[in-house]
Amino acid sequence: MATTLNINPENRNSGSRPVALACEQYNNEAEMLLPILHQVQKTIGYIPAFAYSQIAKSLNLSRAEVYGVVSFYHDFRQKAPAKTIVKVCRSEACQSMGGRGLKAGVETVFSDNDAVAIEDIYCLGNCALAPAVMIGERVYGRASIDMIVKLAQGKVNV
């Protein structure tokens, strides 16, 4: 199921409605903060700064409590995501097969490209084909810098 992301809702008027709907969906219950944050991120693409106050007010929490949860969990994004996200496995198997150098090389290639983000992930379950990467929702094994560049730029459909 594809989700359309509004990745630039800096205007409170365009982004505040999905936040309100997420809070209402979970009956404005403070115990449901994590599912609410996941819903906001799924709808908007990230958790915009203006959402902290709106969620806090709806759930009778402090803004600091909401921000603390968002900043604690690494899966919550606080800014609009890049068009392409490359997750490089950092597990022992992938590191032993060159994962550290792979990540460094890919970061160098895409250092000036805001459309591609390089992130760590700690095991993709593809150890036999290390080093592994995830681009979008797909896992690739025996990854190389050239392969990642071509996939990230949409030149190869493996």
Side-chain angles (χ1 to χ4, degrees):
M1 183 172 125
T3 302
T4 303
L5 297 179
N6 175 9
I7 62 170
N8 194 17
E10 292 303 323
N11 179 346
R12 291 177 185 253
N13 295 329
S14 67
S16 64
R17 187 67 189 138
V19 175
L21 288 173
C23 291
E24 290 168 14
Q25 178 181 350
Y26 292 98
N27 298 317
N28 296 315
E29 294 179 18
E31 298 82 17
M32 302 307 289
L33 177 59
L34 283 173
I36 290 167
L37 292 170
H38 282 291
Q39 184 63 37
V40 170
Q41 182 163 288
K42 180 179 177 184
T43 305
I44 298 175
Y46 69 106
I47 313 292
F50 71 80
Y52 306 151
S53 296
Q54 187 175 354
I55 293 169
K57 184 176 180 181
S58 295
L59 305 184
N60 197 27
L61 298 171
S62 71
R63 186 179 185 283
E65 288 173 299
V66 175
Y67 175 76
V69 171
V70 172
S71 62
F72 178 79
Y73 292 102
H74 70 273
D75 280 341
F76 289 129
R77 291 183 293 271
Q78 297 180 54
K79 61 181 184 174
K83 180 180 177 188
T84 303
I85 299 174
V86 177
K87 295 184 179 184
V88 180
C89 183
R90 305 291 285 168
S91 71
E92 290 81 2
C94 287
Q95 293 307 305
S96 71
M97 296 301 291
R100 184 174 291 127
L102 178 68
K103 183 177 184 217
V106 173
E107 285 177 330
T108 300
V109 170
F110 291 112
S111 64
D112 293 330
N113 187 339
D114 291 336
V116 178
I118 313 302
E119 298 179 355
D120 292 334
I121 192 164
Y122 294 91
C123 196
L124 291 165
N126 201 25
C127 302
L129 299 175
V133 297
M134 177 183 274
I135 300 174
E137 298 294 321
R138 191 156 179 199
V139 175
Y140 300 91
R142 295 194 177 107
S144 68
I145 294 171
D146 290 339
M147 174 185 146
I148 294 169
V149 169
K150 288 176 183 173
L151 287 167
Q153 293 174 340
K155 295 180 180 174
V156 174
N157 202 4
V158 176

